[in-house]
Amino acid sequence: MPLREAPGDLPALQPSPGRPFGLYVHVPFCFIRCGYCDFNTYTPAELGGVNPDAWLQALGTELELAAARLGGPSVSTVFVGGGTPSLLGGERLARLLGMVRDHFVLAPDAEITTEANPESAWPDFFSATRTAGYTRVSLGMQSVSPRVLGVLDRIHTPNRSAAAAREALAEGFEHVSLDLIYGTPGESDDDLLRSVDTAVDTGVDHVSAYALVVEEGTALARRVRRGELAAPDDDVLAHRYELVDARLSDAGMSWYEVSNWSRPGGECRHNVGYWNGGQWWGAGPGAHGYVGATRWWNVKHPNAYAELLAGGTLPVSGFEQLDSDALHTEEVLLKTRLRQGLPLDRLGDAERQRAQTAVADGLLVSEGERLVLTPRGRLLADGVVRTLLG
Ligand SMILES: C[S@@+](CC[C@H](N)C(=O)[O-])C[C@H]1O[C@@H](n2cnc3c(N)ncnc32)[C@H](O)[C@@H]1O
Ligand code: SF4
């Protein structure tokens, strides 16, 4: 069937040549929903018609339409996230990457990441994805404490995450990342330190550590509201962040974004693209894209997504054109959180004056022509951004 796009679904896109271009693919499947998670993901019981193969076919159509829209920019990073990409298995993820290559030109040194859950990623998975050309794997570890994993509804055993990371390294992945969550109700300092040490001991080159966010509408939020669990305490979260940072720094990992640490060369280039003015196409249900000054987002439900693509229509739900004010806010918000800092020349006169106040308060430091968060500033990054923007 000839492909057709509904008129008005997305304005003409003009990728800016100087900005790196990435591709994000959203896999909307999970075995169960963890109580804290509000990502756009569905368990088998929540899905009617769409199975992983039907979704993959729809994705292929979206990639074909995307390539026709974009006029073939060279893709420097691919990130397959979720949801749980490892639920697809290595063979389907290999097919997925093959479809990307059918429609896009990947840079010779492209970074190609897949997320994976410890309970659905085993040596054959890592071997198949590595052989297919994936260069990086990001595993959701969260904690090694059985108590914490229980509160988070994680279904893997405490030891499985570190074992999976070691297996990924043994199968030839040079870049492996582990995600941690800190501040879960019932977590102790010792639980967290054991988790960080276990992550470091595996030999991975990247760790992300996120403060637990109680997202509205989740099972965790309901439990907090009923008084079954205490909400994470800000002072405890700040202390735990300092523990994570100290332990990772001692182990030779440096922060390059407020929630991300790596060994030299282990930074996630795809995510740096998001934070540093890059452009990307977001494929899959609910995925967001950003090209030129246009941001758009896809329909969220996998069934609606597949139906639109079966009719040859881009599954876009809405879009916006960012004006210069919105672009500036976004730049300050994202670059302030990076270790390389915010270039001073991006700020107006009033903002520079407010920046001096933040410097005097010990939240920012000037490094040459850039403003960089201090350790205390990293704990209060959102407030620093608000101060700068006035
Ligand atoms: C959307 S998940 C996808 C990865 C994978 N499905 C997994 O769970 O391992 C990416 C990461 O976001 C983090 N995350 C998700 N919801 C969070 C929340 N409410 N608070 C803090 N971190 C969260 C977790 O660390 C998780 O590993
Ligand atoms: S945290 Fe990961 S495994 Fe859990 S529901 Fe969210 S995406 Fe799925």
Side-chain angles (χ1 to χ4, degrees):
M1 180 192 49
L3 295 176
R4 177 183 61 80
E5 289 179 30
D9 53 358
L10 196 58
L13 297 175
Q14 280 164 347
S16 316
R19 290 159 58 193
F21 193 88
L23 186 61
Y24 173 75
V25 176
H26 189 74
V27 181
F29 307 116
C30 285
F31 187 62
I32 64 144
R33 177 178 286 278
C34 308
Y36 57 90
C37 180
D38 77 341
F39 280 66
N40 186 41
T41 186
Y42 302 81
T43 63
E46 292 167 341
L47 282 177
V50 172
N51 59 47
D53 288 311
W55 168 83
L56 202 53
Q57 192 181 348
L59 179 75
T61 307
E62 185 181 0
L63 294 175
E64 184 177 352
L65 292 169
R69 276 302 187 105
L70 291 166
S74 168
V75 174
S76 47
T77 61
V78 179
F79 194 105
V80 182
T84 305
S86 47
L87 267 189
L88 295 177
E91 194 264 330
R92 282 201 198 88
L93 281 175
R95 264 166 43 210
L96 187 161
L97 188 52
M99 290 181 342
V100 169
R101 289 196 169 108
D102 286 344
H103 299 298
F104 290 88
V105 177
L106 296 190
D109 65 343
E111 173 193 271
I112 305 172
T113 302
T114 181
E115 287 185 336
N117 278 34
E119 72 281 359
S120 53
W122 299 87
D124 59 340
F125 171 85
F126 296 119
S127 158
T129 44
R130 183 73 194 99
T131 304
Y134 288 83
T135 65
R136 187 170 180 278
V137 61
S138 174
L139 285 153
M141 173 178 185
Q142 322 311 354
S143 176
V144 293
S145 155
R147 186 177 52 230
V148 171
L149 291 174
V151 173
L152 294 177
D153 294 332
R154 298 295 289 186
I155 55 174
H156 48 86
T157 57
N159 297 332
R160 179 61 211 145
S161 305
R166 289 199 168 89
E167 289 160 8
L169 291 164
E171 295 296 340
F173 277 98
E174 197 183 334
H175 301 298
V176 180
S177 178
L178 287 165
D179 288 347
L180 296 173
I181 289 180
Y182 59 90
T184 301
E187 177 194 65
S188 66
D189 286 359
D190 188 55
D191 287 332
L192 178 61
L193 289 173
R194 280 190 301 114
S195 301
V196 177
D197 289 345
T198 304
V200 167
D201 285 349
T202 61
V204 297
D205 67 347
H206 189 284
V207 170
S208 303
Y210 304 110
L212 179 67
V213 178
V214 180
E215 302 282 5
E216 264 320 301
T218 60
L220 176 67
R222 288 191 288 279
R223 293 183 72 188
V224 169
R225 206 173 313 117
R226 288 198 296 261
E228 284 170 36
L229 294 171
D233 173 86
D234 283 347
D235 290 337
V236 172
L237 290 175
H239 172 62
R240 298 263 160 83
Y241 180 87
E242 288 171 340
L243 290 179
V244 172
D245 185 50
R247 213 55 159 225
L248 291 175
S249 305
D250 286 351
M253 288 198 190
S254 314
W255 74 284
Y256 68 99
E257 192 272 346
V258 169
S259 303
N260 289 277
W261 291 256
S262 78
R263 298 194 186 286
E267 299 84 359
C268 176
R269 283 166 44 205
H270 185 83
N271 286 340
V272 170
Y274 289 154
W275 301 320
N276 212 14
Q279 321 174 85
W280 67 93
W281 186 283
H288 288 218
Y290 181 41
V291 170
T294 306
R295 183 172 21 222
W296 73 94
W297 47 94
N298 281 349
V299 294
K300 288 183 91 170
H301 201 284
N303 292 346
Y305 172 81
E307 271 166 31
L308 284 166
L309 284 159
T313 300
L314 271 179
V316 171
S317 166
F319 68 88
E320 62 182 340
Q321 303 282 14
L322 276 73
D323 62 16
S324 58
D325 280 353
L327 288 168
H328 177 70
T329 299
E330 185 119 318
E331 183 176 15
V332 172
L333 188 79
L334 296 172
K335 289 189 178 167
T336 300
R337 294 175 61 88
L338 291 173
R339 171 64 186 88
Q340 69 175 28
L342 176 69
L344 257 177
D345 64 8
R346 307 304 300 155
L347 295 181
D349 289 344
E351 289 170 330
R352 282 186 203 210
Q353 288 204 343
R354 290 193 290 269
Q356 286 320 312
T357 309
V359 169
D361 290 344
L363 299 169
L364 286 171
V365 63
S366 291
E367 285 189 6
E369 289 304 299
R370 287 172 180 269
L371 290 167
V372 179
L373 289 169
T374 61
R376 203 164 77 80
R378 281 150 69 194
L379 298 173
L380 301 167
D382 294 345
V384 174
V385 168
R386 278 195 299 274
T387 302
L388 288 177
L389 291 170

